[in-house]
Amino acid sequence: MPMEILESPAAMRDCCRRLRAQGSLGFVPTMGALHAGHMSLIAASRQRDAASVASIFVNPAQFGPQEDFSRYPRPREADLAQLEQAGIAAVFLPTSAVMYPEGYASYVEVEGLSERLCGRSRPGHFRGVATVVLKLCQIVNPERAYFGQKDAAQVAVLRRMFHDFNCDWEMIVCPIVREPDGLALSSRNQYLSPAQRQSALALSRALRAMAEAHAAGRRSPAQLLACGRKILDAEAGLRLDYLEAVDVQTLLPVADAAAGTLIAVAAWAGSTRLIDNCVLA
Ligand code: PAF
């Protein structure tokens, strides 16, 4: 069956209803500029679900006024070819006018969580993410929705929202996919110059050093963070936004770096903001 490309919520809803009647339906929401990280979410859904659908929508509501909304990469044809090849049954490709028509007034606020980690330097970002994910999932009504662990704060915000709104879409979180040298895959990596890309490797290097220190018995968050900061501060090409050891659900700093603690980092390489994280074993 050729992949369907649908632009209206009503057409996507009908298509998903048909697919769901035939068996379980998995959904992978994306902003496009697909890379191996996105494809791992699709592969996970293809393995588990009878049918898989995706969306490509660069959501203006999750970008701040000074952020990269207008230059965010939009390689539509290449994205659609990858989705078709991966066996996606239907893609939802709405415009901003379809998602946020004249008079649009409803937003989802996940209080507290939305102001932590990335939410601190990106006010309004998680409000935009939560709103669009709720809208997309309402349209698709999947059995399962797939997200990447790379956006660990996004995962915490969406988990809270799914719970608070009694959503019965199961949330599946897939591991971070990395380049062989450790760089976490991101659609924004293509903005990086070779020198900035080299600097960006300090993020995964710092996380690795912290995980190793933890494995060697260090439990004090202050000591672990100092170990990571040393590596990040030594990289002149990076400007640190945050490096934190937090509870994976509340995103609040932990007093003891027990197993399951999330170590999350964000930094700018030039004007490109990069994030990465690891969960302590
Ligand atoms: O993670 C992303 O790509 C986006 O935040 C999402 C979940 C597709 C919402 O726009």
Side-chain angles (χ1 to χ4, degrees):
M1 284 272 283
M3 180 174 79
E4 291 191 56
I5 300 174
L6 303 153
E7 290 171 9
S8 85
M12 184 66 179
R13 182 175 288 121
D14 283 355
C15 170
C16 291
R17 218 176 260 146
R18 252 186 295 119
L19 291 169
R20 206 174 160 168
Q22 293 160 21
S24 70
L25 181 63
F27 175 42
V28 181
T30 81
M31 297 206 302
L34 302 178
H35 51 65
H38 298 108
M39 301 320 284
S40 76
L41 307 183
I42 288 164
S45 171
R46 294 288 293 125
Q47 221 171 38
R48 243 175 131 152
D49 304 306
S52 306
V53 299
S55 61
I56 300 179
F57 178 58
V58 185
N59 173 32
Q62 69 188 77
F63 288 79
Q66 309 303 326
E67 293 182 355
D68 56 341
F69 173 69
S70 53
R71 74 174 179 128
Y72 197 84
R74 291 165 169 86
R76 281 299 166 266
E77 294 313 313
D79 282 350
L80 291 174
Q82 284 198 75
L83 293 176
E84 174 131 53
Q85 185 155 37
I88 285 288
V91 193
F92 185 41
L93 211 65
T95 61
S96 292
V98 160
M99 292 299 276
Y100 303 109
E102 188 70 24
Y104 187 88
S106 305
Y107 292 88
V108 179
E109 206 60 79
V110 180
E111 293 178 358
L113 281 175
S114 293
E115 284 87 55
R116 294 174 197 148
L117 299 186
C118 295
R120 210 174 303 121
S121 49
R122 303 188 70 189
H125 170 66
F126 288 124
R127 176 185 197 249
V129 170
T131 301
V132 83
V133 169
L134 186 65
K135 280 172 70 73
L136 291 168
C137 286
Q138 290 282 8
I139 293 164
V140 171
N141 191 24
E143 226 114 47
R144 300 184 188 89
Y146 294 77
F147 299 90
Q149 169 64 22
K150 188 171 77 74
D151 293 284
Q154 170 171 285
V155 166
V157 168
L158 294 177
R159 209 181 269 300
R160 184 80 243 167
M161 177 185 76
F162 279 24
H163 179 267
D164 289 352
F165 285 162
N166 310 102
C167 304
D168 68 354
W169 313 304
E170 187 187 352
M171 190 173 168
I172 308 287
V173 180
C174 299
I176 298 177
V177 179
R178 298 180 182 280
E179 301 275 13
D181 59 9
L183 185 68
L185 293 192
S186 162
S187 303
R188 291 187 167 99
N189 288 351
Q190 57 189 278
Y191 297 153
L192 300 171
S193 68
Q196 289 169 340
R197 194 192 174 288
Q198 197 55 35
S199 300
L201 292 177
L203 269 67
S204 53
R205 211 164 51 239
L207 291 172
R208 219 168 29 246
M210 294 165 79
E212 282 166 13
H214 182 260
R218 282 219 206 133
R219 290 292 178 274
S220 143
Q223 280 184 353
L224 289 177
L225 293 172
C227 155
R229 271 206 85 115
K230 203 165 145 195
I231 292 169
L232 292 161
D233 289 347
E235 188 49 68
L238 282 184
R239 185 161 55 88
L240 188 62
D241 179 3
Y242 63 75
L243 175 67
E244 291 192 44
V246 297
D247 178 90
V248 75
Q249 279 176 19
T250 65
L251 305 181
L252 287 170
V254 291
D256 171 44
T261 296
L262 172 71
I263 308 285
V265 61
W268 283 273
S271 59
T272 304
R273 191 168 178 285
L274 299 167
I275 57 173
D276 201 349
N277 68 79
C278 72
V279 175
L280 295 176

